[in-house]
Amino acid sequence: MAAEADGPLKRLLVPILLPEKCYDQLFVQWDLLHVPCLKILLSKGLGLGIVAGSLLVKLPQVFKILGAKSAEGLSLQSVMLELVALTGTIVYSITNNFPFSSWGEALFLMLQTITICFLVMHYRGQTVKGVAFLACYGLVLLVLLSPLTPLTVVTLLQASNVPAVVVGRLLQAATNYHNGHTGQLSAITVFLLFGGSLARIFTSIQETGDPLMAGTFVVSSLCNGLIAAQLLFYWNARPPHRQKKAE
């Protein structure tokens, strides 16, 4: 009976959240304080939680732009640099066969970020340019994921994530400071990105052991924290002059 009851739990946890030896350690030998296995369980759980949450992270931003029919306050250069960083993470992770739980959110964030790029162009009256950008990006992504791209190029792309994240966030911070408000920037999206990047520091160390990946998330957390701090600082600020002109 114990073995039968053990079956569904084992199928649920192995190998998605735990390797079989850790399952035996925790749930057969009942060594619930086995630190290495607990780290694996926590890392996998956090990673899958981040991946699942990433399906919705940027939707508040997308809906805010659509609702306002404006992308005021968003820096297109910042959004594009974030897209570069996400693309680097996706290509580097797939090339190195990292587990999906350690990078999967980058895929869903990329799809949402490229949507935001298009919307920013669309509401600036550059719809045709936006469509061309989508087509070019898809072509570049296919080339990067193909055997035609050398491993050195892929590694260089991942290494470029740090400057891309820093410059992108500083551009958005400068836009916020210049405007004196955060415009259509979504607080929900910003705070979720901040929390997710913090958690990714631990999961990337635990699951990939790659210092380049971990370092990228450390820098990303610092930069996302800056934007989150600006959102709090400009919480009650509004762009009244633009609204009056629209009337």
Side-chain angles (χ1 to χ4, degrees), residues 9 15 24 34 37 45 47 54 88 96 99 107 110 145 152 167 179 224:
L9 180 62
D24 292 340
H34 191 269
C37 288
S54 69
N96 286 281
L107 174 62
M110 176 271 286
L145 289 171
T152 51
V167 174
N179 291 341
N224 285 331

Side-chain angles (χ1 to χ4, degrees), residues 79-136:
V79 178
M80 284 189 169
L81 282 169
E82 184 178 358
L83 184 62
V84 169
L86 290 167
T87 304
T89 298
I90 293 168
V91 174
Y92 184 73
S93 300
I94 291 174
T95 302
N96 286 281
N97 294 314
F98 290 152
F100 186 71
S101 60
S102 70
W103 63 270
E105 81 281 0
L107 174 62
F108 302 117
L109 289 177
M110 176 271 286
L111 294 172
Q112 294 166 72
T113 301
I114 200 169
T115 300
I116 292 170
C117 280
F118 173 76
L119 289 174
V120 172
M121 292 182 189
H122 172 66
Y123 286 116
R124 289 182 180 179
Q126 301 173 334
T127 304
V128 174
K129 185 177 177 182
V131 172
F133 170 73
L134 293 178
C136 289

Side-chain angles (χ1 to χ4, degrees), residues 14 43 83 128 139 148 233:
V14 180
S43 176
L83 184 62
V128 174
L139 182 61
L148 296 172
F233 184 76

Side-chain angles (χ1 to χ4, degrees), residues 10-193:
K10 188 171 184 177
R11 284 194 295 271
L12 178 67
L13 296 178
V14 180
I16 298 172
L17 291 173
L18 284 171
E20 189 164 357
K21 64 178 182 179
C22 276
Y23 176 85
D24 292 340
Q25 190 77 37
L26 294 173
F27 297 103
V28 177
Q29 300 177 31
W30 291 104
D31 183 6
L32 299 178
L33 297 178
H34 191 269
V35 175
C37 288
L38 287 176
K39 281 185 178 180
I40 293 172
L41 181 61
L42 177 61
S43 176
K44 289 284 188 182
L46 274 175
L48 291 173
I50 293 169
V51 172
S54 69
L55 291 166
L56 305 173
V57 162
K58 292 204 170 189
L59 288 185
Q61 183 66 78
V62 172
F63 292 145
K64 192 168 185 180
I65 294 172
L66 290 172
K69 291 182 170 53
S70 165
E72 183 184 7
L74 272 77
S75 165
L76 180 60
Q77 293 89 343
S78 174
V79 178
M80 284 189 169
L81 282 169
E82 184 178 358
L83 184 62
V84 169
L86 290 167
T87 304
T89 298
I90 293 168
V91 174
Y92 184 73
S93 300
I94 291 174
T95 302
N96 286 281
N97 294 314
F98 290 152
F100 186 71
S101 60
S102 70
W103 63 270
E105 81 281 0
L107 174 62
F108 302 117
L109 289 177
M110 176 271 286
L111 294 172
Q112 294 166 72
T113 301
I114 200 169
T115 300
I116 292 170
C117 280
F118 173 76
L119 289 174
V120 172
M121 292 182 189
H122 172 66
Y123 286 116
R124 289 182 180 179
Q126 301 173 334
T127 304
V128 174
K129 185 177 177 182
V131 172
F133 170 73
L134 293 178
C136 289
Y137 176 77
L139 182 61
V140 169
L141 185 60
L142 285 174
V143 171
L144 288 172
L145 289 171
S146 74
L148 296 172
T149 306
L151 182 59
T152 51
V153 174
V154 174
T155 304
L156 185 62
L157 182 61
Q158 175 65 17
S160 72
N161 278 6
V162 173
V165 167
V166 171
V167 174
R169 285 293 181 259
L170 288 179
L171 283 171
Q172 183 61 61
T175 299
N176 296 339
Y177 178 76
H178 176 74
N179 291 341
H181 60 81
T182 54
Q184 301 307 320
L185 207 59
S186 167
I188 297 172
T189 294
V190 169
F191 288 119
L192 285 175
L193 285 172

Side-chain angles (χ1 to χ4, degrees), residues 165 193-201 214-228:
V165 167
L193 285 172
F194 179 46
S197 59
L198 282 174
R200 267 293 173 224
I201 298 171
T216 300
F217 287 117
V218 169
V219 173
S220 180
S221 296
L222 292 172
C223 294
N224 285 331
L226 172 62
I227 304 300

